[in-house]
Structures are given as structure tokens and as C-alpha cells.
Amino acid sequence: MNYEFTIIVPIYNEQDNLERLEQELSRYVSRTRTKAKVLLINDGSSDRSQELIENICTRNEAFHFLEFAENRGLSAAIKAGFDHVDTELLGYMDSDLQTSPEDFDLLLEHIGEYDLVTGVRADRKDSFVKNMSSAIANKIRRTFTHDGMDDTGCPLKVIKTEYARRIPMFKGLHRFLPAMILLQNGKIIQIPVRHFPRTAGQAKFGLWNRLLGPLIDCFAYLWMKKKYINYTIAKKG
């Protein structure tokens, strides 16, 4: 099958969510008009996630996996997805199912005109502390990047693969994906998507890596912006 769209799903100790993840993603890829497949990336899980992932991929032709030798973090898992995708478009979502793969169709409607389309979580179903720390972190990040995005922590995104592959990833850069597309003179837009409470497993981000960590990463982004190489070929012969 000539796939057009790969959905990257980083996974770390999410054994309790994987059955429902399989159900929702398999239902989505079977009905969406865009020919889609799924790449599950096991970021060194210590629970039964890998066993379940292999079973899922055995049952579903459109599902594939990568397994890290050890836990390397979310940015590394996303980069591995960027490196191994072979379709013109790629998407990204978390395995906790606080966003729905069905909403990828909302983002795909705009990807022709734009190079990155990101969701913005409407009516978030998180705790007050989590919502407040995310709001503060987003405000700090916008001050540094001027990307105009209200919710870069939303995991639901669609990116043209050629742009994703040119992003020089470092740990924490998953929060700066829209800004890194702007450095390539790409076009970005945010679209409201649904948000759901987590029903299984545990959140992997606390106050430190939701608020203080991103503040430190902003300075790394400024360094990269100053050093970033971007060029356009006018003619070749």
C-alpha cells in the first residue's frame, strides 16, 4: 500500500493504555481518507509495553515499531520517528489518549497550505496545577520564540516530513517544533482539538520538566536560532 501519512507514537511504560490505543488507532487508519500507518516507538519501557507492542504489530499490517535499548526521553523518541518515516506527511500523538487520533483529520485539512499544523487543546481536562504550569511555560516560550502558538505541549501535530527531518533535535526540543519550522521559513497554524482526562497509567512530566525545564531549554533554542543554517538553492547545473 502506498501510505501517505505516518503517525508516530512514543511509548514509555504505558502497558495499561496499549489495548485502547490499538483500538482507536486501528479504527482511525481503517476509515481515514489519508492512507495512514502507525509507528510505535518504545522508549526503553520497563513494563510489559514491548510485549504488547509486538502483539499489536502482529495483528495489524499498518502498525510497526522501534524499540530503544534504553530510555532516552521524548525528544529522542520523536527524532527516531522523524528518522525512520518514509511518507510525505507525519503525525505525532501521545500514547495516553488524552487526544484522539480522529482529530488528525482536522489538522490534515490544512497541511496543504501549511508545513506544520498543531493542535491546541480546548477545554483541557487536567488539574489546576498542570494547566497553570503549562500556561506559564507557554507564555515564557512565546516570549523567546515569537511563534504565536498557545499550546506547544499539545501532542497532536501533523508535519511535512521534509521539514521535520531538517530539525536539529536536542533534548527538550519537542516543545519548540513550531519555532523550528519557522526557522526554515515554513508556515504554521494551530487548530482546536478535543482533550480527555487520562484514564490509565501515570503522567511522565511533573512541575520541573513542565515549567523550569522549558525555561532552560529556551536559552538552548536562542543559541540554535543564532547558529541555524538555512539556505535556498536558486539554480543548479
Side-chain angles (χ1 to χ4, degrees):
M1 184 179 293
N2 294 321
Y3 292 105
E4 306 166 86
F5 178 47
T6 302
I7 300 170
I8 298 168
V9 188
I11 295 167
Y12 179 63
N13 290 346
E14 293 284 3
Q15 62 180 22
D16 295 332
N17 275 315
L18 291 181
E19 180 179 353
R20 191 161 67 95
L21 181 71
E22 175 188 10
Q23 293 171 354
E24 294 208 15
L25 280 170
S26 59
R27 181 167 57 245
Y28 173 72
V29 300
S30 68
R31 58 154 293 278
T32 183
R33 291 176 296 176
T34 305
K35 293 180 180 178
K37 61 180 177 178
V38 177
L39 179 59
L40 306 174
I41 302 176
N42 182 3
D43 181 21
S45 297
S46 57
D47 62 1
R48 294 181 57 241
S49 290
Q50 182 59 29
E51 174 189 346
L52 298 174
I53 287 169
E54 293 188 26
N55 291 337
I56 289 170
C57 293
T58 299
R59 290 191 293 266
N60 299 274
E61 182 181 3
F63 283 62
H64 309 272
F65 74 86
L66 299 173
E67 181 188 14
F68 281 7
E70 58 187 354
N71 175 242
R72 302 303 295 171
L74 180 56
S75 291
I78 294 173
K79 174 173 170 48
F82 290 175
D83 291 343
H84 289 82
V85 162
D86 59 3
T87 53
E88 291 186 4
L89 299 175
L90 62 86
Y92 156 54
M93 67 174 288
D94 281 346
S95 56
D96 59 16
L97 291 170
Q98 289 195 258
T99 51
S100 170
E102 299 292 330
D103 286 346
F104 274 123
D105 285 348
L106 300 175
L107 309 188
L108 286 165
E109 290 179 9
H110 301 273
I111 197 61
E113 181 180 356
Y114 294 90
D115 305 302
L116 176 146
V117 185
T118 183
V120 54
R121 291 167 288 190
D123 190 22
R124 286 186 63 174
K125 301 297 192 295
D126 287 324
S127 68
F128 173 80
V129 172
K130 187 174 182 180
N131 286 338
M132 184 59 64
S133 61
S134 293
I136 295 171
N138 274 301
K139 185 174 182 179
I140 293 170
R141 178 196 41 74
R142 283 196 303 273
T143 301
F144 280 80
T145 65
H146 305 288
D147 61 9
M149 298 290 103
D150 297 316
D151 184 19
T152 59
C154 179
L156 212 66
K157 293 178 173 62
V158 174
I159 313 174
K160 290 178 179 174
T161 302
E162 62 177 309
Y163 282 82
R165 287 215 174 110
R166 290 198 293 263
I167 296 174
M169 294 289 286
F170 61 81
K171 189 173 182 179
L173 194 63
H174 60 272
R175 304 180 185 94
F176 296 85
L177 294 178
M180 296 306 296
I181 300 300
L182 290 178
L183 284 186
Q184 301 178 46
N185 298 320
K187 296 177 64 178
I188 62 176
I189 190 174
Q190 57 185 4
I191 302 295
V193 297
R194 295 171 293 171
H195 190 244
F196 306 91
R198 177 185 268 271
T199 60
Q202 295 183 346
K204 307 305 186 292
F205 291 92
L207 182 62
W208 164 258
N209 49 23
R210 190 179 296 117
L211 184 56
L212 299 180
L215 174 60
I216 296 171
D217 292 339
C218 283
F219 293 99
Y221 166 78
L222 289 181
W223 178 89
M224 180 167 290
K225 181 179 180 180
K226 182 178 180 180
K227 301 292 185 178
Y228 186 73
I229 296 173
N230 190 33
Y231 62 88
T232 301
I233 300 295
K235 184 186 295 186
K236 55 182 181 177

